[in-house]
Amino acid sequence: MTDNSRYSFGEWPMDLLIDYVLKVHHRAVREKGPGTLALIRKVKSQNPALGEMEMLFEQSLSDLDIHLMKEEQVLFPYILDLFDASRNGSPIGPMHCGTVRNPISVMMSDHDGELERHERIAALLHGYTAPAGASADYQEMVRQLHAFSEALGEHTHVENDHIFPMAIALEASLVK
């Protein structure tokens, strides 16, 4: 993904990138996701054809919850330790799982799966287009799902294209 965001993430230090992901993206998944799922269920009660989309989004929230916890409890603390060691000129040992590349590869695989899942949701919603005459709830559901997908794209971009390469490079320069 190219950096076509309103921010120049490539110019940000790693700790700020991680703070941004945690406070903007992780928080939004947890705060907005359940409301979007509730709205999907409300709209689905009037349109049972939305069952696959409901199942996909529900599974996305479940999988993302696990993914976010792995980042917050395992990966990001080590990456921040790398960042601090680099800034302070202090030594740091290897990650408990060998190298930072191992959890990064898992996170990137998770990202690919989520992006594919949301591509399917987009296809089910005809590119996030509400049908003519759709109810206000249906239109709002489409808007929320599109916003969620856009945020997911930015989340994966910041991590895959900025945080993860920086972490790999830092580890290579610090851990011998």
Side-chain angles (χ1 to χ4, degrees), residues 4-37:
N4 59 0
S5 139
R6 64 184 179 252
Y7 301 117
S8 299
F9 293 118
E11 298 172 11
W12 292 18
M14 185 182 304
D15 61 339
L16 182 57
L17 288 168
I18 290 173
D19 283 348
Y20 179 79
V21 165
L22 291 171
K23 291 184 173 95
V24 172
H25 293 292
H26 287 206
R27 184 179 291 167
V29 167
R30 291 184 174 120
E31 289 179 357
K32 295 179 183 175
T36 299
L37 182 59

Side-chain angles (χ1 to χ4, degrees), residues 72-119:
E72 294 163 2
Q73 296 176 9
V74 178
L75 183 58
F76 287 169
Y78 182 71
I79 291 174
L80 289 170
D81 287 347
L82 286 170
F83 179 76
D84 289 341
S86 174
R87 286 185 54 214
N88 300 328
S90 56
I92 186 168
M95 187 171 199
H96 70 277
C97 54
T99 174
V100 75
R101 288 178 184 270
N102 293 331
I104 285 174
S105 68
V106 172
M107 296 300 102
M108 291 179 77
S109 178
D110 288 354
H111 290 166
D112 291 344
E114 282 307 311
L115 292 172
E116 288 174 16
R117 188 183 336 245
H118 284 271
E119 285 174 10

